[in-house]
Amino acid sequence: MIKAVIFDWAGTTVDFGSRAPMGAFVNLFNEYGIEITIEDARRPMGVNKWNHIDELLQFHHIQSQWVKVYGRMPTSVDVDEMLKAFTPMNIESIRQYSQLIPGVREVVTLLRARGIRIGATTGYTRELANVLMPLAAEQGYAPDACVCAGETEQGRPSPQMVAHCASLLGISDPTEVIKVDDTVPGLMEGINFNCWTVGVSVTGNAMGLSLEEYQDLTDSDRALKENHARQELQQCQPTMVIDSVENLLSVVDEINDRIISKKRSAAA
């Protein structure tokens, strides 16, 4: 049976649309004389922030701007410096976009009532998470354990963060864990750990809209965007894709039924 659910942060439990990192990345590159779009900034989402910056600098249209401005290719030292500049920018955006996604507090309360422990992994560093977690706690959401970028030798899509989080929760069997995430790297983290994985399509990076923007869509546009976001996450073949954490309880029930059926089949 499921003993733990390990969530991502932005786009999964807080920050509908995963907007906090996006504006910070755009502002960061603007500070260095480089123009990037929100769509550019979203493409590497889910990895740690050092790797995110590094991946952006590999995009041809961004790298060519860098060479034009600085007369050379970007280096790892540049990424180090940009990460230092990025952190205070992201702190401000985290404070702005720290609202819990609708349904998260209620679902987590019901999961705990079933004896299920709550964990979190994130591409945020501990410095950034230390800003976000008290803001989430004030709204009624506080995971039992949280593992941040840089606290394991490898980040996503490696399973090391989710494995470490499960260990902190006292769980060694991956089949007793569900990883919930709104990005492909975050889902791959769970897949590589061999646990159950649930993609969150509407509230996260794949959709990329605020709650208000999402609610203002026409029915046809909403259906089109929902389908596109769902397909983006399904490319890594998670166990399931749902619209939001609000829909998670029925998924937990279904996975538990699968576990029971498998055990019955094995015993037959």
Side-chain angles (χ1 to χ4, degrees):
M1 302 291 280
I2 294 302
K3 294 183 179 178
V5 176
I6 298 177
F7 295 98
D8 179 51
W9 279 97
T12 300
T13 53
V14 298
D15 184 8
F16 195 112
S18 191
R19 293 168 293 161
M22 298 308 105
F25 280 121
V26 171
N27 291 338
L28 171 69
F29 277 79
N30 283 344
E31 288 287 323
Y32 282 79
I34 311 295
E35 291 186 9
I36 71 169
T37 65
I38 292 291
E39 289 71 26
D40 290 330
R42 287 196 181 279
R43 284 170 61 188
M45 271 299 290
V47 300
N48 69 58
K49 298 303 177 265
W50 193 99
N51 287 341
H52 195 132
I53 295 168
D54 186 53
E55 284 192 39
L56 288 172
L57 287 170
Q58 307 310 312
F59 294 171
H60 176 73
H61 66 288
I62 296 175
Q63 193 173 89
S64 61
Q65 289 185 69
W66 183 281
V67 172
K68 185 175 181 180
V69 172
Y70 297 102
R72 58 174 177 79
M73 295 287 283
T75 68
S76 60
V77 174
D78 296 316
V79 180
D80 291 341
E81 292 180 356
M82 292 180 77
L83 182 61
K84 289 179 183 178
F86 173 79
T87 298
M89 295 178 184
N90 206 14
I91 286 173
E92 289 307 310
S93 62
I94 285 170
R95 288 178 176 144
Q96 183 179 357
Y97 297 112
S98 61
Q99 296 84 3
L100 284 189
I101 289 170
V104 168
R105 180 176 58 247
E106 294 80 5
V107 166
V108 167
T109 297
L110 291 171
L111 288 172
R112 282 185 164 135
R114 298 183 182 189
I116 295 173
R117 303 207 69 195
I118 305 300
T121 66
T122 179
Y124 286 145
T125 61
R126 180 61 62 175
E127 182 179 3
L128 296 172
N130 283 345
V131 175
L132 176 58
M133 289 194 293
L135 298 173
E138 289 174 3
Q139 301 170 73
Y141 172 61
D144 302 310
C146 178
V147 178
C148 300
E151 294 180 343
T152 56
E153 185 177 347
Q154 296 177 17
R156 296 167 177 166
S158 155
Q160 290 184 4
M161 283 202 299
V162 71
H164 183 40
C165 189
S167 177
L168 292 174
L169 296 172
I171 298 167
S172 58
D173 184 351
T175 65
E176 297 175 343
V177 176
I178 299 174
K179 178 62 171 47
V180 185
D181 208 291
D182 66 299
T183 69
V184 169
L187 290 170
M188 288 304 304
E189 173 190 26
I191 290 168
N192 290 330
F193 182 52
N194 294 317
C195 69
W196 305 90
T197 51
V198 177
V200 176
S201 59
V202 167
T203 68
N205 187 67
M207 178 73 75
L209 299 177
S210 69
L211 177 59
E212 294 75 16
E213 290 169 337
Y214 174 70
Q215 291 172 333
D216 286 343
L217 291 172
T218 63
D219 290 344
S220 59
D221 282 346
R222 184 179 297 112
L224 186 67
K225 289 182 180 295
E226 285 176 349
N227 185 56
H228 181 270
R230 197 172 295 112
Q231 288 181 344
E232 180 177 324
L233 296 179
Q234 284 173 337
Q235 66 181 298
C236 67
Q237 299 182 321
T239 308
M240 216 166 296
V241 175
I242 58 177
D243 288 347
S244 77
V245 168
E246 196 169 24
N247 311 121
L248 184 62
L249 290 177
S250 62
V251 172
V252 175
D253 291 337
E254 182 174 337
I255 290 173
N256 278 331
D257 287 342
R258 290 194 199 182
I259 293 170
I260 292 168
S261 296
K262 187 175 181 180
K263 287 180 178 178
R264 284 175 179 167
S265 298

